[in-house]
Amino acid sequence: MDKNSNPVICVFCGSSSGSDPQYAAVARTLGRLIAGRGFSMLYGGGGLGLMGETARAVREGGAHVVGILPDFLRRVEQPPEWEKDLIVTPDLQDRKTRMLTMADAFVVLPGGAGTMDEFFEVVTSASLGVLAKPILVVNTGGYFATLKRLMDHIVREGFARPEILGVYRVVDTPKEAMDAIADELGLLTRK
Ligand code: AMP
């Protein structure tokens, strides 16, 4: 993290809104907290689903939003027209590489296969020692209970070392995620 710039929080979440309105509500709460702490948000660049909800809330809070979107998804994921800082990449892999480089911390909200891909990307990178940044999973309505069980199962069956469970943290609320990030990044902000 550049000493003179605000921490960049990369948010991984669904390009859909899910079946329960609490998912969108929690996405908006996270966006407000990111803005309220003077952080900026990095994300997949789309305007739909929880991605759009979070990005709009950050912008409405007056903070900076940067989207990274593969060219072929511009039509599908519909970047908001206000999004001036849209980085267009040739493919999904390049998008993820840039996200991992540009972010200071990662927050995972409920989402689909794309969100899970992003979760495993940062968790495997961290467990292999090529990424050392906070990773927080917000367990909205228990959405990630099955993911927690899968990770425990992977360790129990001997396909990963228990240390992998320590490279990310599962928390219940966006506020806990932001507090953990502030602590890990050594910031004193408390809002
Ligand atoms: P989803 O959680 O499936 O709604 O997707 C969330 C985000 O992940 C969207 O911006 C998708 O474009 C992206 N995504 C989907 N599949 C992949 C993949 N294989 N690798 C990286 N990102 C993906």
Side-chain angles (χ1 to χ4, degrees):
M1 186 174 66
D2 182 333
K3 279 206 308 257
N4 301 313
S5 62
N6 298 331
V8 176
I9 311 301
C10 182
V11 179
F12 296 139
C13 61
S15 54
S16 309
S17 295
S19 55
D20 188 322
Q22 73 170 318
Y23 298 129
V26 168
R28 288 191 293 271
T29 300
L30 175 67
R32 283 193 291 270
L33 286 170
I34 290 172
R37 294 190 186 227
F39 297 168
S40 61
M41 173 183 167
L42 177 67
Y43 83 121
L48 305 177
L50 300 193
M51 295 170 70
E53 295 287 353
T54 318
R56 278 191 295 278
V58 173
R59 176 180 152 88
E60 282 162 20
H64 191 206
V65 176
V66 178
I68 309 185
L69 191 62
D71 198 25
F72 75 94
L73 282 178
R74 277 173 120 159
R75 276 222 182 130
V76 183
E77 298 200 351
Q78 302 176 22
E81 77 296 332
W82 49 261
E83 198 167 277
K84 302 284 175 271
D85 286 312
L86 181 69
I87 298 169
V88 178
T89 64
D91 52 44
L92 288 165
Q93 204 55 46
D94 190 52
R95 174 206 244 179
K96 277 192 295 195
T97 303
R98 283 170 183 254
M99 286 173 147
L100 267 59
T101 305
M102 290 170 65
D104 295 306
F106 301 88
V107 178
V108 185
L109 296 181
T115 303
M116 297 306 147
D117 176 89
E118 289 161 335
F119 166 78
F120 281 106
E121 181 80 24
V122 287
V123 165
T124 51
S125 299
S127 71
L128 294 172
V130 294
L131 181 77
K133 298 176 180 178
I135 303 167
L136 278 302
V137 177
V138 181
N139 192 20
T140 309
Y143 183 76
F144 288 108
T146 45
L147 179 65
K148 281 169 84 173
R149 285 204 294 279
L150 173 63
M151 295 303 293
D152 288 341
H153 177 68
I154 289 171
V155 170
R156 206 168 39 243
E157 295 301 311
F159 287 103
R161 287 203 290 261
E163 289 76 23
I164 198 168
L165 303 176
V167 304
Y168 63 95
R169 264 179 64 189
V170 180
V171 296
D172 289 329
T173 64
K175 178 165 186 314
E176 283 175 72
M178 299 310 291
D179 285 346
I181 288 171
D183 279 347
E184 285 194 49
L185 296 180
L187 303 171
L188 295 173
T189 48
R190 281 284 179 279
K191 282 186 186 163

